[in-house]
Amino acid sequence: MTTAEPASTAPVQELEISRSCPHSPNAQHIEFQQQGRPVKVTLAALTPGAPVWAVSSHDDIRTMLTDSRFSADREKQGFPFQVDGQPGNFRRTMISMDGTEHRDVRRSVTGEFTLKRMKALQPRIQQIVDDRIDVMLAGPKPVDLVDALSLPVPSLVICEQLGVPYEGHEFFQARSNKLLLRDASAEERLRALDELLEFLSDLITKKEAEPTDDLLGRQIVKLREAGTYRHRDLVRMAFLLLVAGHETTANMISLGAMILIDRPADAEVLRANPGKIPAAVEELLRYFTIAEFIPTRVATEDVELGGTLIKAGDVLVALCNVANRDPAVFPGGNDLDIQRGARHQLAFGYGAHQCLGQNLARMELEIVYSTLLRRIPTLRSAIPTEDLPFKSDADIYGIHEFPVTW
């Protein structure tokens, strides 16, 4: 039996939250993983001045995300506030619940994201991607890929799925981007949040009077029949679904396009063998892990993790960026291998809270990459890709602007 060691008495470091290279995690995170156990750090973005545990082993993170002694409930003692100024009554979405409460809320909407329903959406997603590429090809060059394709595609897809009118997508996109950007002030983010919640509340009120055949309309009917419908809860759900996969998928589109440009041999393999694109998507998700350390938990009792004693009330942060390169799971994980087929990657989390929209995200990425390869085979960056304006902050990283030509 392994004996857990107490916390080290060494000085506690501040967890670094940026990376200097888009192809590699922060060097500090790599060093933590090499220590082979959770490391105590501070992280001002979560709990100013209070120590947290940085967990970097692939196996330890899977345990952290499945063991019921590690709670996602933000009302638990010690759980950090992750969004400055966010009203408390909107903190408790599905991702911040445990046990049966989480299961029941998630189960009510799981059917909207099954593989079968995604297959039904495939033609419409393809049309959205083709329409955006038509606009790119018809306009002047160079064009910003982020503005022309990467952001609009996931925004339009999720808006259509939820039943947000097309004319509302620009309003949503602007507010969600402001909410997710760390360089926005707390006041700007709070105002964007209030405006977005008011927009969703008004939309759902209209659907309550006349339910529409979309995710929100179907939820109203289903939950009313079950006697569990509450307006505020559906607003929370809509908010989570709109924001959760929006910018992450957008950044993956841009980063994947960058790889296809930088590695023409890989692009040619995928162009000649489209059936290999799903495996390439898994590898790109693993390699970039743009949601670097979003999964956060609080221990509800003393528990051993990775040979270290975690005390009740301690906060844990999962460094999925380096866990997705754990040599015990991904030999040669610092190298990109588009044929690896990294199905055990943690880019979507793990366990009961694994990303609800992962099937949708995968489909969007597969369609975008295959369509770009087919329709714009000469796509190239208008500037050296190493000069692209990357953003890296406490939650995600990606590309601010991506001028491309062909």
Side-chain angles (χ1 to χ4, degrees), residues 3-21:
T3 302
E5 296 183 5
S8 169
T9 57
V12 177
Q13 301 180 56
E14 171 71 15
L15 183 66
E16 297 176 7
I17 60 173
S18 63
R19 60 170 80 189
S20 58
C21 172

mmCIF file of all heavy atoms in Angstrom, residues 3-21:
data_model
loop_
_atom_site.group_PDB
_atom_site.id
_atom_site.type_symbol
_atom_site.label_atom_id
_atom_site.label_comp_id
_atom_site.label_asym_id
_atom_site.label_seq_id
_atom_site.Cartn_x
_atom_site.Cartn_y
_atom_site.Cartn_z
ATOM 1 N N THR A 3 2.032 4.902 0.805
ATOM 2 C CA THR A 3 1.820 5.866 1.881
ATOM 3 C C THR A 3 1.889 7.260 1.304
ATOM 4 O O THR A 3 2.888 7.641 0.679
ATOM 5 C CB THR A 3 2.889 5.706 2.979
ATOM 6 O OG1 THR A 3 2.835 4.376 3.483
ATOM 7 C CG2 THR A 3 2.654 6.695 4.103
ATOM 8 N N ALA A 4 0.829 8.000 1.477
ATOM 9 C CA ALA A 4 0.791 9.357 0.934
ATOM 10 C C ALA A 4 1.754 10.249 1.678
ATOM 11 O O ALA A 4 1.872 10.188 2.903
ATOM 12 C CB ALA A 4 -0.623 9.906 1.040
ATOM 13 N N GLU A 5 2.452 11.091 0.939
ATOM 14 C CA GLU A 5 3.374 12.030 1.549
ATOM 15 C C GLU A 5 2.665 13.339 1.834
ATOM 16 O O GLU A 5 1.779 13.753 1.090
ATOM 17 C CB GLU A 5 4.556 12.293 0.605
ATOM 18 C CG GLU A 5 5.405 11.059 0.338
ATOM 19 C CD GLU A 5 6.594 11.388 -0.532
ATOM 20 O OE1 GLU A 5 6.785 12.589 -0.825
ATOM 21 O OE2 GLU A 5 7.330 10.462 -0.916
ATOM 22 N N PRO A 6 3.038 14.015 2.905
ATOM 23 C CA PRO A 6 2.451 15.323 3.176
ATOM 24 C C PRO A 6 2.947 16.338 2.165
ATOM 25 O O PRO A 6 3.878 16.085 1.402
ATOM 26 C CB PRO A 6 2.953 15.642 4.595
ATOM 27 C CG PRO A 6 4.249 14.883 4.702
ATOM 28 C CD PRO A 6 4.031 13.619 3.919
ATOM 29 N N ALA A 7 2.317 17.485 2.166
ATOM 30 C CA ALA A 7 2.717 18.548 1.250
ATOM 31 C C ALA A 7 4.156 18.970 1.503
ATOM 32 O O ALA A 7 4.640 18.961 2.633
ATOM 33 C CB ALA A 7 1.785 19.760 1.415
ATOM 34 N N SER A 8 4.851 19.339 0.417
ATOM 35 C CA SER A 8 6.231 19.790 0.539
ATOM 36 C C SER A 8 6.294 21.120 1.278
ATOM 37 O O SER A 8 5.377 21.931 1.236
ATOM 38 C CB SER A 8 6.830 19.944 -0.869
ATOM 39 O OG SER A 8 8.069 20.603 -0.818
ATOM 40 N N THR A 9 7.411 21.332 1.970
ATOM 41 C CA THR A 9 7.609 22.606 2.664
ATOM 42 C C THR A 9 8.339 23.611 1.769
ATOM 43 O O THR A 9 8.657 24.705 2.216
ATOM 44 C CB THR A 9 8.415 22.383 3.954
ATOM 45 O OG1 THR A 9 9.677 21.747 3.613
ATOM 46 C CG2 THR A 9 7.647 21.502 4.931
ATOM 47 N N ALA A 10 8.623 23.235 0.532
ATOM 48 C CA ALA A 10 9.288 24.149 -0.394
ATOM 49 C C ALA A 10 8.385 25.341 -0.694
ATOM 50 O O ALA A 10 7.158 25.255 -0.571
ATOM 51 C CB ALA A 10 9.626 23.417 -1.691
ATOM 52 N N PRO A 11 8.967 26.500 -1.061
ATOM 53 C CA PRO A 11 8.156 27.677 -1.390
ATOM 54 C C PRO A 11 7.135 27.361 -2.478
ATOM 55 O O PRO A 11 7.429 26.648 -3.427
ATOM 56 C CB PRO A 11 9.204 28.690 -1.884
ATOM 57 C CG PRO A 11 10.493 28.248 -1.271
ATOM 58 C CD PRO A 11 10.411 26.753 -1.193
ATOM 59 N N VAL A 12 5.932 27.896 -2.328
ATOM 60 C CA VAL A 12 4.864 27.640 -3.282
ATOM 61 C C VAL A 12 5.002 28.608 -4.453
ATOM 62 O O VAL A 12 5.045 29.826 -4.276
ATOM 63 C CB VAL A 12 3.486 27.794 -2.612
ATOM 64 C CG1 VAL A 12 2.376 27.589 -3.619
ATOM 65 C CG2 VAL A 12 3.354 26.806 -1.457
ATOM 66 N N GLN A 13 5.037 28.059 -5.667
ATOM 67 C CA GLN A 13 5.171 28.886 -6.862
ATOM 68 C C GLN A 13 3.806 29.362 -7.344
ATOM 69 O O GLN A 13 2.794 28.710 -7.126
ATOM 70 C CB GLN A 13 5.819 28.082 -7.993
ATOM 71 C CG GLN A 13 7.186 27.527 -7.698
ATOM 72 C CD GLN A 13 7.723 26.748 -8.886
ATOM 73 O OE1 GLN A 13 7.820 27.261 -10.004
ATOM 74 N NE2 GLN A 13 8.058 25.493 -8.658
ATOM 75 N N GLU A 14 3.802 30.488 -8.040
ATOM 76 C CA GLU A 14 2.608 30.930 -8.748
ATOM 77 C C GLU A 14 2.518 30.122 -10.045
ATOM 78 O O GLU A 14 3.500 29.991 -10.790
ATOM 79 C CB GLU A 14 2.698 32.425 -9.084
ATOM 80 C CG GLU A 14 1.619 32.948 -10.015
ATOM 81 C CD GLU A 14 0.237 33.041 -9.389
ATOM 82 O OE1 GLU A 14 0.146 32.975 -8.141
ATOM 83 O OE2 GLU A 14 -0.748 33.180 -10.147
ATOM 84 N N LEU A 15 1.347 29.550 -10.322
ATOM 85 C CA LEU A 15 1.171 28.770 -11.538
ATOM 86 C C LEU A 15 1.167 29.705 -12.744
ATOM 87 O O LEU A 15 0.362 30.629 -12.826
ATOM 88 C CB LEU A 15 -0.143 27.993 -11.489
ATOM 89 C CG LEU A 15 -0.413 27.068 -12.670
ATOM 90 C CD1 LEU A 15 0.592 25.927 -12.711
ATOM 91 C CD2 LEU A 15 -1.829 26.511 -12.612
ATOM 92 N N GLU A 16 2.069 29.470 -13.673
ATOM 93 C CA GLU A 16 2.133 30.286 -14.875
ATOM 94 C C GLU A 16 0.987 29.904 -15.806
ATOM 95 O O GLU A 16 0.630 28.733 -15.909
ATOM 96 C CB GLU A 16 3.489 30.091 -15.558
ATOM 97 C CG GLU A 16 4.654 30.555 -14.684
ATOM 98 C CD GLU A 16 6.019 30.269 -15.303
ATOM 99 O OE1 GLU A 16 6.051 29.828 -16.487
ATOM 100 O OE2 GLU A 16 7.040 30.473 -14.625
ATOM 101 N N ILE A 17 0.411 30.894 -16.471
ATOM 102 C CA ILE A 17 -0.812 30.637 -17.233
ATOM 103 C C ILE A 17 -0.683 30.965 -18.708
ATOM 104 O O ILE A 17 -1.681 30.981 -19.428
ATOM 105 C CB ILE A 17 -1.999 31.422 -16.641
ATOM 106 C CG1 ILE A 17 -1.728 32.927 -16.680
ATOM 107 C CG2 ILE A 17 -2.306 30.958 -15.222
ATOM 108 C CD1 ILE A 17 -2.917 33.771 -16.269
ATOM 109 N N SER A 18 0.514 31.190 -19.178
ATOM 110 C CA SER A 18 0.685 31.476 -20.598
ATOM 111 C C SER A 18 1.754 30.559 -21.165
ATOM 112 O O SER A 18 2.540 29.966 -20.434
ATOM 113 C CB SER A 18 1.081 32.939 -20.811
ATOM 114 O OG SER A 18 2.327 33.204 -20.203
ATOM 115 N N ARG A 19 1.767 30.450 -22.475
ATOM 116 C CA ARG A 19 2.794 29.655 -23.141
ATOM 117 C C ARG A 19 3.468 30.536 -24.178
ATOM 118 O O ARG A 19 2.842 31.398 -24.789
ATOM 119 C CB ARG A 19 2.201 28.401 -23.770
ATOM 120 C CG ARG A 19 1.145 28.640 -24.808
ATOM 121 C CD ARG A 19 0.787 27.361 -25.548
ATOM 122 N NE ARG A 19 -0.120 26.511 -24.794
ATOM 123 C CZ ARG A 19 -0.433 25.267 -25.168
ATOM 124 N NH1 ARG A 19 0.099 24.742 -26.251
ATOM 125 N NH2 ARG A 19 -1.275 24.556 -24.457
ATOM 126 N N SER A 20 4.757 30.301 -24.369
ATOM 127 C CA SER A 20 5.503 31.123 -25.318
ATOM 128 C C SER A 20 5.499 30.523 -26.713
ATOM 129 O O SER A 20 5.834 31.195 -27.678
ATOM 130 C CB SER A 20 6.956 31.287 -24.841
ATOM 131 O OG SER A 20 7.576 30.019 -24.683
ATOM 132 N N CYS A 21 5.120 29.241 -26.815
ATOM 133 C CA CYS A 21 5.110 28.560 -28.105
ATOM 134 C C CYS A 21 3.784 27.841 -28.278
ATOM 135 O O CYS A 21 3.368 27.096 -27.384
ATOM 136 C CB CYS A 21 6.261 27.557 -28.186
ATOM 137 S SG CYS A 21 6.205 26.491 -29.650
#
